[in-house]
Amino acid sequence: DQSLQEDMARIAVVSGKLFGKGPGKSTQRFILPHPYSDFVFSLIIEEYGLIFGAIPILFLYLLLLYSCINLSRQCTAVFSSVIVSGLGFGIVFQAFLHILVNVGILPITGHTLPMISLGGSSLIMIMGSIGIILSVSRIREEISEREREENKMDKEINNNTDGQF
């Protein structure tokens, strides 16, 4: 029943308060259906509270988005830039969708919280996305190292030929 899920998730969020009940002391995990996939954020707030549970998770997802945007700006190939920004935005969008469902702003959709929820196919897709982002990041690092070496060699050549002409 959808109203039962919504009510139990709200109770979990409200009972967590600022500092939570403590790890493993959640009471709603026994009542909520799919507590470790569809409503894991509610349980995190109930156990760890707003300060140590919700805010750090929000910060980490925003940090992931910032890192993806920063990497996207550094990419010289348009395809790499679009892939990184699209995958990063998709992961963070799914996370915020899950969070908004758990706090009662959006209706229940059944989305998992990326990299936290227990889930099979969702976890595989998220890890694949993270792998692609890391691959683009690694390639970007190799290109920037090569550029630094070329710039260093150009400077050495310019320094050696300055007094000869």
Side-chain angles (χ1 to χ4, degrees):
D1 184 38
Q2 224 174 13
S3 64
L4 172 73
Q5 290 176 325
E6 291 175 14
D7 293 342
M8 293 302 121
R10 286 188 188 132
I11 289 170
V13 169
V14 170
S15 66
K17 299 180 184 170
L18 284 178
F19 299 104
K21 294 180 176 180
K25 296 182 180 171
S26 171
T27 55
Q28 297 304 313
R29 69 175 166 198
F30 302 113
I31 301 168
L32 266 169
H34 309 291
Y36 297 107
S37 59
D38 294 349
F39 293 98
V40 72
F41 190 73
S42 299
L43 296 180
I44 290 171
I45 292 177
E46 184 180 15
E47 291 185 1
Y48 297 97
L50 183 68
I51 304 287
F52 298 114
I55 292 175
I57 288 175
L58 291 172
F59 174 75
L60 289 173
Y61 281 116
L62 290 174
L63 182 65
L64 174 68
L65 182 64
Y66 173 77
S67 298
C68 287
I69 290 171
N70 197 19
L71 177 61
S72 175
R73 287 183 181 166
Q74 292 175 0
C75 290
T76 54
V78 176
F79 181 74
S80 298
S81 178
V82 169
I83 286 289
V84 168
S85 57
L87 290 174
F89 179 75
I91 292 169
V92 173
F93 181 76
Q94 181 178 343
F96 279 98
L97 184 65
H98 176 90
I99 290 168
L100 293 174
V101 165
N102 276 246
V103 296
I105 296 174
L106 292 176
I108 296 174
T109 56
H111 284 91
T112 58
L113 188 60
M115 296 177 282
I116 296 176
S117 290
L118 180 70
S121 58
S122 174
L123 185 64
I124 290 170
M125 296 306 292
I126 295 298
M127 291 303 131
S129 299
I130 295 292
I132 292 169
I133 291 169
L134 289 175
S135 176
V136 171
S137 173
R138 181 176 52 92
I139 290 169
R140 181 65 203 139
E141 293 269 331
E142 290 172 0
I143 290 171
S144 54
E145 282 180 23
R146 227 179 284 137
E147 288 173 351
R148 276 187 250 134
E149 288 176 9
E150 288 173 1
N151 287 340
K152 184 179 177 183
M153 289 174 58
D154 288 345
K155 286 181 183 177
E156 288 177 4
I157 290 171
N158 288 339
N159 289 339
N160 291 338
T161 60
D162 280 344
Q164 295 178 0
F165 294 108

